[in-house]
Amino acid sequence: MNLCDAIAVVRQRIAETAERAGRSADEVRLIAVSKQQPPEAIEALIACGQKDFGENQVQEALAKIERLNNPPVEWHFIGHLQSNKTRHIGGNFNWVHTIDSAKLARRISQSACEAGQCVNLLLQVNVSGDPAKHGLAEDELAPLIETVLEAGLQGIRLRGLMTIGYREIPESETRRSFARLRELLESCRMLYGEAFSELSMGMSGDYLLAIEEGATMVRVGSALFGARNAWHT
Ligand SMILES: *Cc1c(COP(=O)(O)O)cnc(C)c1O
């Protein structure tokens, strides 16, 4: 199957699931997770209308962003971000999904300001309690948001929450953790305002479940591209 057909299948599944859940397909942004895929695969998807791409390694992403030379797409950073790599975010990425400290937010803001840009940030929450996952415990969320908002950072905007499902748990628990993230987003929206509108949850194995539970962004890699190719710079 070529990539245009593959993404049409994923989009169709998203639309059907959204409709069944009483939602509009327009509420769900499909992020094509292009990590370890060659730039040609990204170009092929751009040519069939795909707008959002996710990468999890800064160096690999920069090599692709440079090679693709400013196509009309939004780049999402979805990997664990080391603070010494934050200087590359401004001017390259529109979204970072994995914020778990005020220091990261401050440093990204600085790099965005230098690039004359504003980066959208999502806070990563470890709702499934996976011991191996990065991300905030629920009780760390409000203090972090308040610290970031009080800092008045000009180069970033807090937009919502992200989580990574834990593969080792049954589907019912994954569903419960997605539902919990949605509740957390709703309370953030009440406390901190309408800008908190995004829920990034769901990958190849669980994106339809995530849509049923309110995801506004799904991060799909292997279900779209097939196995990862280990493309390196
Ligand atoms: C790799 C990755 C994805 C995509 O994973 P697939 O299972 O291939 O869809 C989504 N989110 C994050 C954070 C990832 O690292």
Side-chain angles (χ1 to χ4, degrees), residues 218-231:
V218 291
R219 311 177 305 265
V220 180
S222 46
L224 185 54
F225 292 101
R228 282 185 262 282
N229 294 324
W231 182 82

Side-chain angles (χ1 to χ4, degrees), residues 122-134:
L122 306 179
L123 301 161
Q124 182 175 355
V125 188
N126 187 355
V127 271
S128 62
D130 179 351
K133 286 282 182 313
H134 295 286

Side-chain angles (χ1 to χ4, degrees), residues 33 35 56 78 162 164 167 203-204 219-222 228:
V33 176
K35 65 187 189 196
N56 74 337
I78 62 169
M162 175 271 206
I164 300 177
R167 279 178 210 278
M203 311 179 18
S204 290
R219 311 177 305 265
V220 180
S222 46
R228 282 185 262 282

Side-chain angles (χ1 to χ4, degrees), residues 184-195:
L184 291 171
L185 182 76
E186 278 162 9
S187 59
C188 287
R189 195 183 324 202
M190 284 197 307
L191 287 168
Y192 309 115
E194 293 293 313

Side-chain angles (χ1 to χ4, degrees), residues 7 39 56 59 72 168 190 213 223-225 233:
I7 203 163
N56 74 337
Q59 293 314 124
E168 308 304 318
M190 284 197 307
E213 297 303 328
L224 185 54
F225 292 101
T233 54

Side-chain angles (χ1 to χ4, degrees), residues 196-211:
F196 281 82
S197 59
E198 303 298 328
L199 264 186
S200 168
M201 56 191 195
M203 311 179 18
S204 290
D206 53 20
Y207 70 102
L208 298 177
L209 195 77
I211 291 167

